[in-house]
Amino acid sequence: MHCPYCRFTDSRVLDSRVAEDGSSIRRRRECRSCSKRFTTLEQMQLVVVKRSGVVEPFSREKVVTGVRKACKGRPVTEADLAKLGQKVEEKLRASGQAEIPADDVGVAILGPLRDLDPIAYLRFASVYKHYESVEDFEAEIARLRAAAAAEAPSEPAPVPAPTAEQLF
C-alpha cells in the first residue's frame, strides 16, 4: 500500500471495520514516513472463469448488457436492470468464492430475471439453457406456470348469491 501523499510503501493500520453489507473492509492507516492518515477500502475481487479457461474480472455492466438484449421491447426500465445487476453481484459475493464459473453467473441471473419479466426470462433461458425444440420451451413455460400457481395466494371461496327469501 503506497501512501497517497508521499508514495512511501509502508503504513500502519489504526482501525479496521467491516462495511454494513459485509462485502468490504474499511481501514484507517497512517504513513510511517510522513505520518499522514488515509483510508483504504478493501473489497474481494470477483473473477469469472469462462468455459475456455479464460479468467476475467466480474462486470455488473456486462450482466446488464446481456439481460438488456433479452428485455428488448419489454416494459423493463434501466433502473430495473441496474437492480437486477446488483442482485446478481450480491448473490455471487455471498457465495464466498473469488472465482465464479461462468455457468454460475447465468444461474444467478435466471432467478431475478424470472421475477422481473417472464418473457425476458424465457428469451435469456433459451440461449443459456440451449433450448433445441419447441418442447423445451413448453416445459419451461409449464415450470413458470407451476411456480406462479404455487406463489399465488389461494382465492377465497366464492360467496353464494343470496336467495329470494334472504333478500325479502
Side-chain angles (χ1 to χ4, degrees):
M1 176 57 59
H2 293 280
C3 171
Y5 302 104
C6 71
R7 306 297 297 160
F8 190 67
T9 57
D10 193 21
S11 62
R12 182 171 72 110
V13 175
L14 303 173
D15 182 41
S16 293
R17 296 182 186 185
V18 176
E20 288 179 17
D21 62 0
S23 67
S24 60
I25 298 174
R26 178 192 166 276
R27 297 194 197 279
R28 190 73 180 141
R29 298 176 177 268
E30 182 178 62
C31 177
R32 292 195 187 267
S33 175
C34 68
S35 299
K36 291 195 177 184
R37 294 180 176 187
F38 57 97
T39 302
T40 60
L41 189 64
E42 299 173 19
Q43 189 170 26
M44 176 181 75
Q45 182 174 359
L46 285 176
V47 293
V48 177
V49 181
K50 298 195 166 206
R51 291 183 191 115
S52 65
V54 174
V55 177
E56 67 179 41
F58 173 80
S59 168
R60 187 187 296 184
E61 185 54 39
K62 195 168 181 179
V63 168
V64 169
T65 300
V67 172
R68 184 179 289 124
K69 291 175 188 173
C71 294
K72 188 173 183 176
R74 301 296 305 154
V76 176
T77 66
E78 284 299 314
D80 293 335
L81 292 174
K83 287 178 192 173
L84 183 135
Q86 181 179 355
K87 286 178 184 178
V88 169
E89 185 173 355
E90 287 172 356
K91 184 172 184 176
L92 295 174
R93 286 193 184 280
S95 74
Q97 297 177 348
E99 293 185 354
I100 308 291
D103 286 341
D104 290 357
V105 176
V107 170
I109 291 170
L110 288 174
L113 185 56
R114 182 179 51 238
D115 296 339
L116 180 63
D117 188 271
I119 302 298
Y121 166 80
L122 281 173
R123 290 175 179 170
F124 187 86
S126 70
V127 174
Y128 175 74
K129 293 183 176 183
H130 310 290
Y131 291 171
E132 295 180 7
S133 67
V134 173
E135 289 77 21
D136 293 339
F137 277 98
E138 289 173 342
E140 193 64 43
I141 291 169
R143 282 192 287 276
L144 281 172
R145 286 184 176 149
E151 292 175 4
S154 60
E155 295 183 24
V159 177
T163 62
E165 290 105 19
Q166 291 172 328
L167 290 174
F168 299 105

